[in-house]
Amino acid sequence: MTADLDRARELLARAERVVVFTGAGVSAESGVPTFRGPGGLWKTFRPDQLATPEAFARDPRLVWEWYGWRREVLAACRPNLAHVAIARWMLQRGGATLVTQNVDDLHERGAVEAALGLARQGCLRGAAAGVGCPGGGEADEAARRAAAFAAAESVAPIRLHGSIFHARCTRCGARREHRGRVDASNEADLPRCACGGLLRPDVVWFGEALPEGALRAAFGAAASAGACLVIGTAGAVHPAAGLVDETAGAGGRVVVVDPGETAYDGMADVRLWGAAGEVVPGILRDA
Ligand code: OAD
């Protein structure tokens, strides 16, 4: 494992641009269930009843009830060592793009944690260089927090499957952050837009297209990356899963971190079998 860790570190250090591609596994140690494999959501729940536009048209109350439950689970979770290590490394290194299939907000929260840590050490730099980090111990906490939040935004993920904490109007298409508790006991009480239209979770469901801008940005970054670090995704859902082929097809290197088998095992230059929270900090430490 140590030799593989070293090789992974070396491959990433050599690449001018890196794409970090994450799936449900990166959040597993935070207590977020994955989709496939033991304890996976799709073992207990049927996607055709909960995660398709037809399911929402048929029974919006049931769909909101399920998403409301998942939001409550997520609100109680905290970013784990992998989320924080990825963000810290991105902030220090620059030239890295994070692409996630996850609809949770743990990358963003991990980035705030990482940026606050760096700000307290007086060393927010790299991609965050322009945000004006107050250095040393004299800077006050409010200024440090402002700098850290700005820096965290600079490493926000490209989201291929949307966000569970955003909603979209089924009538006018308006999108907005939506974090409040959802009362799904009656259809009449479901969340509504200012225009009166029914809101839906702003996530990508089966049979739906991925957001065009996100897809273009992610695949563009992958095609020009010298390395792709893949963490915690089985690679079963396309088109997102094809991201890694963009990097590999253009001659870039592939590093895969996952305790289980993935679709990328055959193409990985370095394959690290283990949990994200245990392996990722070792790869990205002091890079
Ligand atoms: P999956 O559930 O298909 O795969 C999760 C991966 O995480 C598996 O390869 C596990 O072995 C791995 N894993 C489990 N615990 C881990 C840990 N502690 N550290 C690292 N890896 C771990 O989830 P995704 O590949 O993300 O789509 O699924 C892709 C898409 O399918 C999701 O975005 C979702 C789902 O349907 C939508 O919601 C549109």
Side-chain angles (χ1 to χ4, degrees):
M1 180 68 127
T2 314
D4 286 338
L5 270 181
D6 288 343
R7 277 193 63 219
R9 286 164 62 83
E10 195 187 315
L11 285 188
L12 296 178
R14 263 206 235 129
E16 196 179 320
R17 295 201 192 132
V18 176
V19 164
V20 180
F21 180 49
T22 64
V26 78
S27 298
E29 287 149 274
S30 294
V32 183
T34 60
F35 292 94
R36 296 162 190 86
L41 289 172
W42 296 150
K43 299 271 187 224
T44 316
F45 300 101
R46 286 181 46 182
D48 61 324
Q49 288 181 357
L50 299 164
T52 66
E54 294 77 20
F56 189 71
R58 202 167 46 235
D59 194 346
R61 197 202 61 73
L62 177 71
V63 173
W64 262 121
E65 189 172 51
W66 192 63
Y67 278 91
W69 165 71
R70 285 180 62 199
R71 280 174 19 161
E72 278 170 31
V73 170
L74 282 171
C77 293
R78 285 177 48 82
N80 64 50
L81 293 175
H83 297 110
V84 178
I86 293 165
R88 187 179 163 94
W89 174 78
M90 287 178 73
L91 286 164
Q92 291 183 299
R93 180 195 199 277
T97 304
L98 175 60
V99 180
T100 191
Q101 298 164 89
N102 299 345
V103 297
D104 66 47
D105 61 354
L106 293 171
H107 279 305
E108 285 90 339
R109 284 159 57 194
V112 170
E113 229 173 88
L116 274 172
L118 288 169
R120 290 196 178 114
Q121 293 165 358
C123 53
L124 263 184
R125 31 170 225 263
V131 302
C133 168
E138 286 163 30
D140 64 50
E141 181 65 12
R144 264 199 290 270
R145 289 186 73 81
F149 276 98
E153 272 196 23
S154 75
V155 295
I158 296 173
R159 302 184 152 277
L160 292 179
H161 290 162
S163 158
I164 200 167
F165 294 110
H166 284 72
R168 185 166 93 228
C169 179
T170 53
R171 187 189 290 167
C172 73
R175 296 182 142 91
R176 66 177 171 89
E177 191 170 6
H178 189 277
R179 286 181 175 269
R181 199 175 167 278
V182 175
D183 179 359
S185 46
N186 290 297
E187 202 164 319
D189 295 327
L190 293 180
R192 300 229 159 231
C193 177
C195 80
L198 184 62
L199 290 175
R200 57 162 277 184
D202 195 12
V203 298
V204 176
W205 282 328
F206 287 99
E208 292 187 317
L210 273 59
E212 214 176 287
L215 198 59
R216 205 178 316 115
F219 276 66
S224 63
C228 183
L229 172 60
V230 186
I231 307 167
T233 174
V237 176
H238 285 267
L243 190 89
V244 185
D245 301 294
E246 293 293 309
T247 302
R253 302 306 191 91
V254 176
V255 176
V256 176
V257 179
D258 198 298
E261 287 180 10
T262 78
Y264 309 115
D265 296 348
M267 69 165 77
D269 294 286
V270 182
R271 179 61 168 96
L272 293 150
W273 297 83
E278 287 164 21
V279 178
V280 172
I283 304 176
L284 303 182
R285 178 177 23 103
D286 302 329

